[in-house]
Amino acid sequence: MSFITMKTLLSSYYSMYGHVAKLAEEIKKGADSVEGVEVKLWQVPETLPEEVLGKMGAAPKSDVPIIKPSDLTEADGFLFGFPTRFGMMAAQFKAFLDATGGLWGTQQLAGKPAGIFFSTASQGGGQETTALTAITQLVHHGMIFVPIGYTFGAGMFEMEQVKGGSPYGAGTYAGDGTRQPTDLELAQAFHQGKYFSGIAKKFEGTA
């Protein structure tokens, strides 16, 4: 996925009810808006059986291709997205990262930029702890964490409506599963994709 004048970024995610998938789509739009950047969406493998997913009311899986650990080596940068489980990333995404031991052993991902985005059920459900606990995965691989900080401007200080996300990355609240990402949350996701792409290009001096 590497080109001389083009940065290829990989947005990999897990989404049970579709919230993270929607953020990923907006992030891709934002990243694709930067000249010389190509973004590929992937989803990590599901670990739960269909019967269990059905009982949980999970959304049907999209046709986004399933990623393998070896696919990570072809990208110049990463944006990882996942829902929260008890303040940490969902087990499905952790299982995928656990399978990257071979890449860790050879440090093939070291020095590559990485960002994260997430979904929680509630305001106290892990909008910051999910990000904080996910950073350890990046650190052990030697990846360089790229947060959005407060570059989203006034949207970071919105107080009139409920809004997910933080300086760590774009986010949304799922509630009982019926709440969908708002226009403001989607705008923040678009911003993250665009901002991250600009940073990723600078790593190769192509900005």
Side-chain angles (χ1 to χ4, degrees), residues 42-60:
W42 299 81
Q43 56 182 329
V44 302
E46 180 59 76
T47 60
L48 293 175
E50 287 296 328
E51 180 181 0
V52 174
L53 291 172
K55 291 180 178 179
M56 296 178 69

Side-chain angles (χ1 to χ4, degrees), residues 80-157:
F80 298 133
F82 30 77
T84 299
R85 301 291 184 266
F86 301 110
M88 297 182 289
M89 69 172 65
Q92 288 87 343
F93 206 96
K94 182 62 166 60
F96 170 73
L97 291 176
D98 285 348
T100 62
L103 301 180
W104 166 80
T106 53
Q107 287 292 284
Q108 292 187 64
L109 307 182
K112 295 185 178 185
I116 53 181
F117 56 103
F118 35 81
S119 171
T120 67
S122 65
Q123 290 175 299
Q127 288 280 316
E128 291 199 358
T129 60
T130 303
L132 285 169
T133 52
I135 290 173
T136 60
Q137 314 295 312
L138 311 184
V139 169
H140 282 266
H141 273 290
M143 289 185 271
I144 301 171
F145 178 50
V146 180
I148 62 173
Y150 281 81
T151 59
F152 188 48
M156 295 298 294
F157 299 93

